[in-house]
Amino acid sequence: AQSVTQLDSHVSVSEGTPVLLRCNYSSSYSPSLFWYVQHPNKGLQLLLKYTSAATLVKGINGFEAEFKKSETSFHLTKPSAHMSDAAEYFCVVSDQRAGNNRKLIWGLGTSLAVNP
Amino acid sequence: DADVTQTPRNRITKTGKRIMLECSQTKGHDRMYWYRQDPGLGLRLIYYSFDVKDINKGEISDGYSVSRQAQAKFSLSLESAIPNQTALYFCATSSNSGNTIYFGEGSWLTVV
């Protein structure tokens, strides 16, 4: 069965310092992996996705994530946090079995706070 | 204009009342979804539809029903609302590859 674990429910960083949001997954098949961001009182926006191409994936707003199969991880990083990055971040997994209906499994979210 | 539009954006309703949340999309996608979001529980799938004639229950379909009126429209109904259905509801759509899902901005529903 597939599952997603976001290892930190809350992360707090100072503006200008690196961001690391951790995500581990479990999947019996080759997964597709996604990071979504939700700003306060806003909908969900796709940050980036991995679908079996390059293992280092670059997304919007300077975020990137690396798919590490040996570690079953897909951690989200950004070199320098900005105040506008404060939001809730969700790691999502979907397997790629042929014919599968590609249901998404969502992590519980990591709340990122950015301090001045 | 938004690719996925939900109405209403906010609604307060009383226990036992029927409430409908509507969703329309301009992406031309076949697949549409309804999720609810609760604090600490992430997003949970209520119903999904892979085309106009295909409706499937998600993980928490009890107490909900849906209607796929057209490719672009997918509505969610609570026939008799109860307080634990208070949540933020999201409609979404994706292409048949399912690799990227586009979300509406959410509908806050409060059942008192």
Side-chain angles (χ1 to χ4, degrees):
Chain A
Q2 296 170 284
S3 66
V4 176
T5 303
Q6 291 185 240
L7 299 169
D8 307 290
S9 58
H10 299 280
V11 170
S12 182
V13 301
S14 297
E15 190 175 20
T17 65
V19 176
L20 170 63
L21 305 183
R22 299 182 294 165
C23 173
N24 283 14
Y25 70 92
S26 173
S27 176
S28 301
Y29 300 87
S30 298
S32 292
L33 292 154
F34 310 79
W35 277 98
Y36 281 85
V37 61
Q38 184 180 25
H39 287 93
N41 300 315
K42 295 287 188 182
L44 291 147
Q45 182 182 21
L46 179 66
L47 271 179
L48 50 79
K49 63 181 179 181
Y50 165 78
T51 56
S52 77
T55 56
L56 181 62
V57 181
K58 293 186 184 299
I60 61 172
N61 301 334
F63 284 94
E64 60 182 40
E66 186 172 7
F67 172 68
K68 292 187 176 181
K69 186 176 181 178
S70 61
E71 299 177 9
T72 61
S73 69
F74 190 58
H75 300 335
L76 182 70
T77 61
K78 182 173 181 177
S80 176
H82 192 273
M83 295 296 290
S84 61
D85 294 328
E88 189 86 11
Y89 291 80
F90 294 94
C91 182
V92 186
V93 66
S94 163
D95 72 61
Q96 296 192 59
R97 281 173 288 171
N100 179 264
N101 63 23
R102 299 186 187 280
K103 285 183 286 188
L104 302 180
I105 307 299
W106 290 73
L108 298 184
T110 298
S111 177
L112 175 65
V114 181
N115 306 308
Chain B
D1 288 341
D3 294 324
V4 183
T5 302
Q6 295 180 225
T7 57
R9 294 293 311 282
N10 291 281
R11 177 62 59 88
I12 299 174
T13 192
K14 294 184 178 180
T15 296
K17 292 292 187 181
R18 183 179 187 274
I19 180 78
M20 178 184 287
L21 305 180
E22 298 186 341
C23 177
S24 63
Q25 52 107 349
T26 59
K27 299 292 290 183
H29 290 160
D30 287 328
R31 298 185 175 193
M32 297 188 74
Y33 311 80
W34 274 104
Y35 289 89
R36 65 176 279 176
Q37 183 179 24
D38 299 275
L41 295 178
L43 267 75
R44 292 182 291 168
L45 183 63
I46 306 172
Y47 270 95
Y48 62 102
S49 169
F50 280 0
D51 65 41
V52 175
K53 297 181 180 179
D54 177 79
I55 302 288
N56 304 281
K57 292 183 177 181
E59 56 186 298
I60 53 162
S61 59
D62 288 349
Y64 301 94
S65 63
V66 291
S67 174
R68 186 78 184 268
Q69 301 94 327
Q71 185 201 41
K73 297 184 183 296
F74 191 40
S75 60
L76 175 73
S77 293
L78 289 67
E79 296 301 328
S80 180
I82 56 177
N84 75 3
Q85 291 178 311
T86 293
L88 177 59
Y89 290 84
F90 284 104
C91 176
T93 182
S94 72
S95 65
N96 287 346
S97 70
N99 274 342
T100 302
I101 289 188
Y102 299 86
F103 287 87
E105 293 206 337
S107 296
W108 280 103
L109 177 64
T110 303
V111 183
V112 297

